[in-house]
Amino acid sequence: QVQLVESGGGSVQAGGSLRLSCATSGYTYSTPYMGWFRQAPGKEREGVAAIDSDGSTAYADSVKGRFTISKDNAKNTLYLQMNSLKPEDTAMYYCAADRTWWVLLPEYNYWGQGTQVTVSS
């Protein structure tokens, strides 16, 4: 089993920044592929950023150049640095992990409980 716990969400004004963290525990060696997803009310869950076992990354077009995904293997923690935030970035953000490289597809096997990000104009 793998446990994921997100933190770092909050309310910011447009143009501001937040850094989300996802602390992982359990059999983390078995789930080297990780991603960040978000879901706004009434919308489907969408992939935001993903990172594979070698550190290669993928981003949704809507966040390219503004968001950066990274991970600290020593701390078993995944991060999402979010800059130049926009009101349309408002959503619940989830981290996910799996042994399969799903990239930005919401097919990951393990999920956190989410952290809310609200961006006001």
Side-chain angles (χ1 to χ4, degrees), residues 62-68 81-86 89:
S62 59
V63 306
K64 280 181 181 177
R66 300 189 298 122
F67 291 12
T68 303
Q81 178 66 44
M82 305 186 296
N83 299 328
S84 302
L85 282 162
K86 304 175 181 180
D89 294 319

Side-chain angles (χ1 to χ4, degrees), residues 61-80:
D61 288 343
S62 59
V63 306
K64 280 181 181 177
R66 300 189 298 122
F67 291 12
T68 303
I69 188 171
S70 63
K71 61 180 176 178
D72 186 330
N73 291 325
K75 295 182 178 180
N76 288 329
T77 302
L78 180 73
Y79 301 100
L80 184 68

Side-chain angles (χ1 to χ4, degrees), residues 8-24:
S11 298
V12 296
Q13 290 192 327
S17 298
L18 284 173
R19 188 176 81 155
L20 306 183
S21 298
C22 174
T24 66

Side-chain angles (χ1 to χ4, degrees), residues 106-120:
E107 302 294 334
Y108 289 72
N109 196 31
Y110 298 99
W111 293 85
Q113 82 290 346
T115 186
Q116 178 68 36
V117 172
T118 303
V119 185
S120 59

